[in-house]
């Protein structure tokens, strides 16, 4: 018996608390020891880390993966894959998705956590097939939110579908950290009662301050795997601490069997690494923020709206906008407020208030979403909104097919372009270029200046860009 932990330190931990800036050489300090723990998996790649490694650290994400793979000889490596968006925020055609998965697997990824912001399962079909084709472990994840359509039954039914689609395990992805103990228990119980036998995992963040309680209730209901981060990279907007979870479960039916002494030695090393990055420490990220429960607005989305309002000199409109967000969210069919939906809903709410008339201003991303270009919304979109935005012929403009079906294959064209520029050194470069064309070219040409190297640390505090669940915003520190 016992349960397993999936350690997030080297992906979500530093993405949440260190602005995704942890350098590979610091990861290598702890990798061999972490490999001895016996984790279900360690997440080391994907999400925002792919872009951030290049953009801010001048590191090749593929090389990082190869180097980490050498150090982790026993533990499965996991990545976070944003379904058809891969590690970015737009849909890619199927040929790009297949090739990305093939090379990720070849370079060292074993487990792929695949999720779609809207939980449109059509967007998970190709990534799951690709992972299975190349011999990986496909974990189907559902974005967690609370709305009239996101009921316990909704999660159980969609998990059943994901199991039928060939997933090897399932995960509840609570990116905002809002799941309550009761809801966690009900979903896990529901999945188990439905006869779904695949391992079930809970991924959450400490945002609301309820997360350890939710983990405990999930354990009582039969959860198989929990997501944690080592304590120097835990709590606040990150995961609950790995060591504490191991200690709490010792001697119970959920005992992980992990060596707490070994974990403490890893902790000491990580604490030194954490201290080196002191210029990125942001106190507000290290604390729980139950405010997320009042408006159901994740921290990153709130910061984004605040900076939008500040730039428009309209901070006094905030109370009105906070009332407008749930109205837009309802009219938009309750998309989980994860990137890019959090920005889309937030910007529309701002536009509706500032514009003086609702839906007078409709940003391009809103239009794309309303058209179905991101996938099928969880609930139907309000028809009055569709009429207002697209006019009387709105029905003809709605896309009902899987969005990527509208895309032409892209890989061969990109490969030719890159070869012509003389910039292709390895097959992975085509994907880097396809996914982030602008930044990749600068990277290949050696034009990126890293913000810092390890020997520059510690640095003085200054303003820096933070990405929380995909939202970029400027943080100023004193
Ligand atoms: Co997360």
């Amino acid at each position: 018996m016992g349960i397993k932990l999936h350690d997030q330190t080297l992906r979500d931990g530093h993405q949440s608390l260190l602005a995704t800036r942890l350098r590979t050489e610091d990861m290598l300090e702890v990798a061999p020891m972490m490999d001895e723990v016996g984790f279900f998996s360690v997440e080391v790649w994907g999400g925002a880390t792919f872009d951030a490694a290049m953009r801010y650290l001048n590191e090749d994400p593929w090389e990082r993966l190869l180097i980490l793979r050498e150090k982790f000889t026993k533990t499965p490596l996991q990545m976070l894959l944003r379904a058809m968006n891969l590690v970015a925020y737009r849909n890619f055609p199927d040929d790009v998705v297949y090739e990305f998965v093939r090379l990720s697997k070849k370079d060292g990824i074993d487990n792929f956590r695949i999720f779609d912001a809207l939980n449109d399962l059509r967007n998970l079909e190709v990534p799951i097939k690709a992972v299975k084709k190349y011999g990986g472990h496909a974990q189907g994840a559902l974005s967690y939110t609370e709305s009239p359509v996101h009921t316990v039954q909704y999660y159980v039914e969609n998990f059943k579908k994901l199991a039928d689609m060939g997933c090897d395990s399932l995960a509840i992805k609570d990116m905002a950290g809002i799941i309550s103990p009761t809801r966690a228990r009900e979903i896990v119980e529901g999945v188990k009662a439905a006869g779904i036998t695949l391992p079930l995992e809970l991924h959450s963040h400490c945002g609301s301050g309820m997360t350890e309680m939710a983990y405990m209730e999930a354990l009582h209901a039969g959860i198989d795997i929990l997501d944690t981060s080592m304590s120097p990279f835990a709590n606040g907007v990150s995961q609950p601490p790995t060591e504490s979870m191991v200690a709490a479960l010792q001697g119970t039916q959920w005992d992980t069997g992990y060596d707490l002494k070994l974990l403490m030695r890893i902790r000491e090393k990580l604490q030194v690494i954490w201290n080196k990055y002191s210029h990125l420490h942001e106190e507000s990220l290290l604390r729980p923020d139950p405010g997320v429960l009042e408006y159901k607005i994740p921290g990153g989305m709130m910061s984004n709206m605040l900076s939008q309002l500040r730039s428009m000199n309209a901070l006094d409109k905030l109370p009105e906008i906070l009332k407008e967000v749930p109205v837009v969210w309802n009219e938009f069919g309750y998309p989980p407020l994860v990137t890019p939906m959090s920005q889309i809903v937030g910007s529309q709410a701002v536009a509706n208030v500032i514009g003086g008339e609702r839906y007078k201003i409709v940003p391009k991303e809103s239009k794309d979403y309303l058209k179905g270009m991101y996938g099928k919304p969880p609930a139907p979109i309000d028809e009055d909104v569709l009429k207002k935005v697209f006019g009387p012929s709105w029905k003809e403009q709605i896309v009902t097919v899987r969005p990527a079906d509208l895309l032409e294959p892209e890989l061969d064209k990109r490969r030719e372009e890159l070869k012509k520029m003389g910039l292709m050194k390895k097959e992975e470069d085509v994907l880097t270029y396809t996914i982030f064309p602008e930044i990749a070219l600068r990277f290949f040409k050696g034009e990126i200046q890293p913000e810092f190297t390890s020997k520059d640390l510690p640095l003085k505090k200054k303003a820096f860009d933070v990405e929380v669940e995909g939202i970029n915003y400027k943080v100023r520190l004193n």
Side-chain angles (χ1 to χ4, degrees):
M1 274 307 281
I3 64 137
K4 289 194 179 296
L5 300 182
H6 168 189
D7 190 89
Q8 283 282 356
T9 311
L10 303 182
R11 206 283 297 169
D12 212 352
H14 76 102
Q15 183 174 323
S16 299
L17 297 182
L18 284 186
T20 330
R21 300 295 205 275
L22 192 61
R23 298 185 63 86
T24 304
E25 53 197 282
D26 287 315
M27 298 182 184
L28 298 182
E29 288 275 307
V30 289
M33 290 165 81
M34 288 181 83
D35 194 29
E36 298 296 325
V37 175
F39 289 121
F40 172 75
S41 59
V42 286
E43 194 154 300
V44 297
W45 214 61
T49 66
F50 190 99
D51 180 19
M54 267 194 305
R55 192 184 296 267
Y56 305 122
L57 305 175
N58 193 32
E59 284 191 19
D60 187 331
W62 299 97
E63 274 170 31
R64 172 183 288 181
L65 176 55
L66 286 168
I67 295 169
L68 286 170
R69 181 72 277 177
E70 270 177 34
K71 301 286 174 187
F72 283 100
T73 58
K74 305 170 190 168
T75 313
L77 295 184
Q78 178 151 324
M79 78 163 294
L80 179 67
L81 188 70
R82 295 167 177 154
M84 299 307 286
N85 295 352
L86 300 175
V87 288
Y89 305 113
R90 73 163 176 98
N91 283 319
F92 292 96
D94 295 353
D95 64 332
V96 175
V97 174
Y98 271 100
E99 184 68 352
F100 183 86
V101 169
R102 181 180 78 83
L103 290 172
S104 307
K105 178 71 180 72
K106 173 179 148 280
D107 288 351
I109 295 297
D110 302 291
N111 297 5
F112 295 76
R113 172 175 290 171
I114 309 164
F115 83 101
D116 175 66
L118 295 175
N119 296 329
D120 182 344
L121 300 190
R122 296 173 308 169
N123 289 336
L124 276 83
E125 263 166 34
V126 166
I128 291 170
K129 274 189 198 152
V131 169
K132 295 317 297 170
K133 178 175 176 184
Y134 299 115
H137 173 118
Q139 179 173 82
L142 293 175
S143 308
Y144 179 78
T145 193
E146 286 164 21
S147 84
V149 287
H150 293 89
T151 58
V152 172
Q153 198 190 349
Y154 165 96
Y155 283 100
V156 172
E157 277 168 13
N158 280 292
F159 276 131
K160 198 151 182 40
K161 287 180 194 159
L162 282 172
D164 293 341
M165 284 162 73
C167 287
D168 299 291
S169 64
L170 303 169
I172 304 162
K173 184 177 158 54
D174 175 24
M175 55 280 160
I178 56 171
I179 199 166
S180 71
T182 306
R183 190 47 82 89
R185 173 168 46 76
E186 287 172 349
I187 294 177
V188 178
E189 275 174 358
V191 168
K192 300 291 175 185
I196 302 168
T197 54
L198 295 178
L200 180 63
E201 181 163 349
L202 176 55
H203 173 87
S204 185
H205 290 248
C206 297
S208 69
M210 304 192 289
T211 305
E212 280 94 339
M213 287 183 275
Y215 276 19
M216 198 66 209
E217 285 294 307
L219 284 166
H220 279 283
I223 197 88
D224 302 283
I225 308 150
L226 291 170
D227 278 26
T228 56
S229 276
M230 291 295 296
S231 59
F233 290 75
N235 286 332
V237 295
S238 181
Q239 281 77 46
T242 304
E243 309 92 297
S244 314
M245 199 58 62
V246 169
L249 303 182
Q250 275 182 339
T252 70
Q253 64 188 104
W254 308 295
D255 200 330
T256 59
Y258 300 161
D259 179 354
L260 203 50
K261 283 208 181 82
L262 169 62
L263 287 168
M264 291 305 172
R265 292 203 336 262
I266 300 170
R267 172 179 191 275
E268 279 165 27
K269 286 207 169 203
L270 282 168
Q271 189 63 52
V272 174
I273 293 167
W274 170 261
N275 292 345
K276 269 170 60 179
Y277 289 80
S278 56
H279 69 295
L280 296 169
H281 297 177
E282 165 62 25
E283 202 198 337
S284 64
L285 299 177
L286 300 173
R287 296 182 189 176
D289 176 10
V292 73
L293 299 170
E294 185 175 7
Y295 297 110
K296 306 275 185 216
I297 297 174
M301 177 176 171
M302 185 69 102
S303 309
N304 207 42
M305 286 197 309
L306 285 173
S307 67
Q308 236 179 316
L309 289 178
R310 196 175 293 130
S311 70
M312 292 187 283
N313 225 345
L315 276 171
D316 58 311
K317 300 277 192 226
L318 184 67
E320 234 179 297
I321 288 163
L322 290 179
K323 278 188 208 129
E324 178 67 8
V325 168
V327 182
V328 172
W329 190 50
N330 170 324
E331 288 165 341
F332 275 31
Y334 307 111
L337 295 177
V338 60
T339 308
M341 294 309 142
S342 42
Q343 291 95 320
I344 295 174
V345 170
S347 300
Q348 190 60 58
V350 170
N352 283 358
V353 171
I354 305 283
E357 185 190 330
R358 305 190 71 235
Y359 297 102
K360 196 171 107 191
I361 306 166
V362 184
K364 183 187 177 292
E365 289 76 16
S366 272
K367 276 193 186 140
D368 283 348
Y369 169 72
L370 294 170
K371 261 188 206 169
M373 295 301 287
Y374 289 90
K376 192 171 182 283
I381 291 169
D382 189 293
E383 281 194 13
D384 291 336
V385 171
L386 291 170
K387 276 179 205 151
K388 172 111 199 180
V389 175
F390 299 115
S393 68
W394 62 273
K395 272 187 187 151
E396 291 153 36
Q397 301 188 47
I398 304 295
V399 170
T400 53
V401 296
R402 186 186 67 121
D405 285 336
L406 304 171
L407 302 172
E408 293 292 327
E410 199 177 324
L411 202 60
D412 291 344
K413 195 174 124 223
R414 296 293 184 184
R415 192 180 287 113
E416 283 316 304
E417 286 171 11
L418 202 55
K419 276 186 182 161
K420 233 178 237 168
M421 289 184 272
L423 291 172
M424 190 170 146
K425 293 206 183 85
K426 57 179 187 301
E427 51 183 350
E428 289 86 346
D429 293 344
V430 182
L431 289 157
T432 313
Y433 171 58
T434 306
I435 299 170
F436 294 107
E438 211 181 316
I439 201 87
L441 288 184
R442 283 176 51 213
F443 178 72
F444 295 149
K445 290 177 189 163
E447 289 171 5
I448 293 183
Q449 284 297 315
E451 276 186 355
F452 54 86
T453 62
S454 286
K455 63 175 192 302
D456 300 328
L457 297 175
L459 286 168
K460 276 213 157 76
K461 284 199 174 195
K462 58 171 172 101
F464 61 94
D465 290 323
V466 181
E467 184 174 301
V468 178
E469 295 294 342
I471 302 157
N472 264 298
Y473 59 99
K474 193 63 102 197
V475 173
R476 250 168 254 289
L477 300 161
N478 9 353

